[in-house]
Amino acid sequence: MKMSKDTKTCIDECLQCYRTCLGMAMTHCLETGGKHVEPQHFRLMMACAEICRTAAHFMLLGSPHHKHVCRECAEICAECAKDCERVGGMDDCVVACKSCAESCKAMAA
C-alpha cells in the first residue's frame, strides 16, 4: 500500500501533537499548577493526545475508518488549542493542535 504525501504529513502532524500535548501536560501543566491542572483542561489535553495517537495509528494501518477518527481528532484538537490559549503560556500546544486540526480536517474530507 502506497501512502499519499498528505497522509504522511497528517501522520507526522498527529504524532507531533500527541508528543506536544502529552509532554506539556506532564511537565509544564503539572509543574505550573493552578488553571493548568483544572480537571476539564487536563482531561482535554489527555483526550487530545490520545485521539492524535489513534488517528496516526489508523492512517498507518491504512484503515478506511481513519476518516471518522480524523474528523473527531480535528474537533478535539481545535477545542484543545482554544483551551490552551485560554489558560495561557502554552504556545507550543496551541500551534501543534491548530496544525493537526487543519491536517486532520483535510484527511476527513
Side-chain angles (χ1 to χ4, degrees), residues 4-25:
S4 76
K5 186 175 179 278
D6 289 344
T7 303
K8 287 179 183 170
T9 299
C10 192
I11 290 166
D12 289 344
E13 294 283 356
C14 285
L15 293 175
Q16 178 60 34
C17 193
Y18 164 67
R19 279 192 300 270
T20 304
C21 279
L22 187 63
M24 283 200 82

Side-chain angles (χ1 to χ4, degrees), residues 3-94:
M3 202 176 281
S4 76
K5 186 175 179 278
D6 289 344
T7 303
K8 287 179 183 170
T9 299
C10 192
I11 290 166
D12 289 344
E13 294 283 356
C14 285
L15 293 175
Q16 178 60 34
C17 193
Y18 164 67
R19 279 192 300 270
T20 304
C21 279
L22 187 63
M24 283 200 82
M26 292 300 119
T27 56
H28 176 76
C29 289
L30 282 178
E31 290 162 12
T32 305
K35 56 187 172 179
H36 290 269
V37 290
E38 287 170 353
Q40 182 188 350
H41 174 71
F42 206 80
R43 282 189 195 109
L44 180 56
M45 287 191 73
M46 292 295 92
C48 188
E50 189 56 37
I51 196 71
C52 288
R53 183 170 71 156
T54 302
H57 196 145
F58 270 65
M59 286 182 279
L60 286 165
L61 292 173
S63 169
H65 295 283
H66 81 270
K67 286 185 178 229
H68 320 303
V69 178
C70 285
R71 190 172 300 113
E72 190 61 29
C73 187
E75 194 177 307
I76 293 172
C77 282
E79 193 179 321
C80 191
K82 197 173 168 184
D83 205 51
C84 287
E85 280 178 332
R86 175 190 68 84
V87 169
M90 301 191 66
D91 294 348
D92 290 350
C93 210
V94 172

